[in-house]
């Protein structure tokens, strides 16, 4: 497994990480046994970074990872790194009620995550979205106290803009910024990515396949389950979906010429953006994981990259990446 380091202060990790959210929530029903088998397969393949959130399935995802690690070979378990997001407030019905970044809340969230994960430390801890009522300095300061106490190893951030990144980094070392980055989500390139690089902060890129939209497996006639949040995503709606799948068709021609899949091409593009970027793949099944791992063997030369840029120019995607209400919570979009 190829490795990369998260920023100048973060840990060394596998070049690909496994995003585990879909094993518990937001993409329709999932298969618990297959989810655990997929985590085991990822660990066996050398993936060390497991990304989760305490609000994914209201704790379900952390418990799932706990079970997967407990039943994995000892050597794989010891290499695993947990990246945990916190702060999202949920309702019994599964709705969202904003975010809480108060210092006491941060420590409370961490206590529950440590219990659910069955571990004495979290490798990377980050608030999922900035609490608009709490200065980021206070939230990061609370995580820094958890680091000092030995409960957290590294501090991360999620979906913050360049200014917030600077303010946070002035309080304590930040290992990485987790943010959406893909061929159809390139907003970080203007200011956020340059700022992260200036500050020595790595990027863990989620949504590298845009929630399956540019995986090559999503068809125009696909029926989404009622509990699949893509049913409310602007990029999966009407004419937006038609336009976005036209982009996928253009990417497919390049992938076929190279003898690889669309998903592998899209992941390889993110990998090519820099050694300081670790893509998170949201595979829920072993076959999808195997496909994603194949991206590590894809080499994109200058001609390939030029062809990809021509097929999917920056800003070509139709529709926002989240519904308007959720976009409003993104400090990175301000």
């Amino acid at each position: 497994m190829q490795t990369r380091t998260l920023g100048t202060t973060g840990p060394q990790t596998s070049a690909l990480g496994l995003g585990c959210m879909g094993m518990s929530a937001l993409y329709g029903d999932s298969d618990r046994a297959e989810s655990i088998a997929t985590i085991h397969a990822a660990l066996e393949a050398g993936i060390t970074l497991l990304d989760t959130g305490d609000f994914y399935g209201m704790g379900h995802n952390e418990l799932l990872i706990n079970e997967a690690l407990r039943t994995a070979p000892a050597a794989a378990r010891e290499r695993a790194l947990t990246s945990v997001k916190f702060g999202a407030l949920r309702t019994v019905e599964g709705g969202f009620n904003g975010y809480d970044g108060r210092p006491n809340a941060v420590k409370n969230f961490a206590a529950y995550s440590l219990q659910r994960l069955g571990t004495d430390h979290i490798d990377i801890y980050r608030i999922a979205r900035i609490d608009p009522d709490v200065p980021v300095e206070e939230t990061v300061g609370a995580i820094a106290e958890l680091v000092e106490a030995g409960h957290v190893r590294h501090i991360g951030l999620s979906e913050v803009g360049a200014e917030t990144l600077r303010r946070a980094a002035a309080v304590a070392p930040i290992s990485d910024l987790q943010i959406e980055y893909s061929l159809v989500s390139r907003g970080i390139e203007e200011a956020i990515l340059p700022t992260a690089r200036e500050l020595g902060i790595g990027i863990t890129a989620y949504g590298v396949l845009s929630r399956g939209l540019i995986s090559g497996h999503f068809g125009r006639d696909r029926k989404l389950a009622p509990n699949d949040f893509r049913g409310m995503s602007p990029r999966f709606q009407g004419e937006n979906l038609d336009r976005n799948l036209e982009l996928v068709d253009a990417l497919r021609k390049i992938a076929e010429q190279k003898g690889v899949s669309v998903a592998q091409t899209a992941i390889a593009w993110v990998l090519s953006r820099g050694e300081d970027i670790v893509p998170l793949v949201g595979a829920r099944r072993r076959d999808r994981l195997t496909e994603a791992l194949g991206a590590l063997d894809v080499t994109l030369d200058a001609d390939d990259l030029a062809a990809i840029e021509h097929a999917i120019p920056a800003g070509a995607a139709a529709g926002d990446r989240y519904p308007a209400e959720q976009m409003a919570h993104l400090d990175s979009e301000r």
Side-chain angles (χ1 to χ4, degrees):
M1 171 59 67
Q2 302 166 26
T3 60
R4 295 185 171 187
T5 301
L6 293 179
T8 56
T9 65
Q12 183 181 78
T13 180
S14 49
L16 289 180
L18 182 64
C20 300
M21 181 186 75
M23 298 176 180
S24 296
L26 300 179
Y27 288 109
D29 296 335
S30 59
D31 183 319
R32 187 180 188 88
E34 180 61 22
S35 295
I36 291 174
T38 300
I39 295 174
H40 286 170
L43 295 170
E44 183 179 354
I47 286 180
T48 58
L49 184 63
L50 302 179
D51 183 75
T52 185
D54 62 8
F55 52 94
Y56 292 168
M58 285 77 88
H60 178 278
N61 206 240
E62 290 178 318
L63 292 170
L64 183 76
I65 290 174
N66 180 338
E67 182 177 350
L69 291 176
R70 280 190 293 105
T71 54
R77 182 169 62 250
E78 291 167 3
R79 290 193 299 269
L81 303 172
T82 52
S83 170
V84 180
K85 290 181 290 298
F86 69 88
L89 304 177
R90 305 297 303 272
T91 68
V92 173
E93 296 76 20
F96 285 85
N97 267 339
Y99 298 88
D100 193 342
R102 295 171 300 163
N104 282 342
V106 173
K107 295 171 183 178
N108 178 76
F109 289 132
Y112 279 85
S113 283
L114 289 168
Q115 178 68 24
R116 284 188 292 260
L117 288 167
T119 183
D120 62 358
H121 73 275
I122 295 166
D123 292 289
I124 312 169
Y125 202 46
R126 70 186 88 240
I127 190 165
R129 301 286 187 268
I130 294 298
D131 182 343
D133 297 323
V134 179
V136 69
E137 291 87 350
E138 293 184 16
T139 302
V140 170
I143 306 175
E145 291 179 12
L146 291 170
V147 172
E148 185 176 354
H151 304 310
V152 169
R153 295 280 170 83
H154 302 280
I155 304 171
L157 290 168
S158 177
E159 286 289 355
V160 304
E163 179 185 351
T164 303
L165 200 57
R166 290 187 186 280
R167 290 169 52 198
V171 175
I174 306 297
S175 67
D176 67 305
L177 168 63
Q178 187 172 121
I179 194 163
E180 187 165 353
Y181 189 37
S182 73
L183 277 166
V184 294
S185 297
R186 296 176 59 175
I188 73 169
E189 293 177 343
E190 181 176 349
I192 296 174
L193 182 56
T195 300
R197 286 174 168 163
E198 175 191 336
L199 298 171
I201 296 171
I203 298 290
T204 41
Y206 76 88
V208 294
L209 296 179
S210 195
R211 298 159 185 82
L213 180 62
I214 60 171
S215 67
H217 301 298
F218 198 96
R220 289 173 173 79
D221 57 350
R222 179 161 174 182
K223 302 299 182 184
L224 296 172
N227 57 344
D228 190 324
F229 95 105
R230 290 174 293 187
M232 298 182 294
S233 172
R235 289 187 174 174
F236 288 83
Q237 305 299 314
E239 293 182 359
N240 286 348
L241 178 61
D242 291 337
R243 169 58 183 154
N244 292 330
L245 290 181
E246 287 176 2
L247 299 176
V248 177
D249 289 340
L251 185 62
R252 192 186 310 276
K253 294 177 182 177
I254 298 168
E256 289 175 347
Q257 290 173 358
K258 291 189 67 66
V260 298
S261 74
V262 174
Q264 288 168 342
T265 305
I267 297 169
W269 181 87
V270 179
L271 283 164
S272 76
R273 298 298 86 193
E275 290 292 319
D276 54 349
I277 298 174
V278 175
L280 299 172
V281 295
R284 299 196 295 166
R285 304 189 331 233
R286 283 168 286 181
D287 59 336
R288 294 286 192 253
L289 173 67
T290 298
E291 180 183 23
L293 287 167
L296 294 167
D297 298 320
V298 177
T299 299
L300 299 176
D301 60 25
D303 289 340
D304 295 327
L305 292 171
I308 290 170
E309 293 279 344
H310 180 73
I312 306 183
D320 287 333
R321 52 196 180 102
Y322 287 105
E325 182 179 354
Q326 295 180 38
M327 289 291 290
H329 290 294
L330 297 177
D331 182 78
S332 56
E333 294 287 340
R334 293 172 187 165

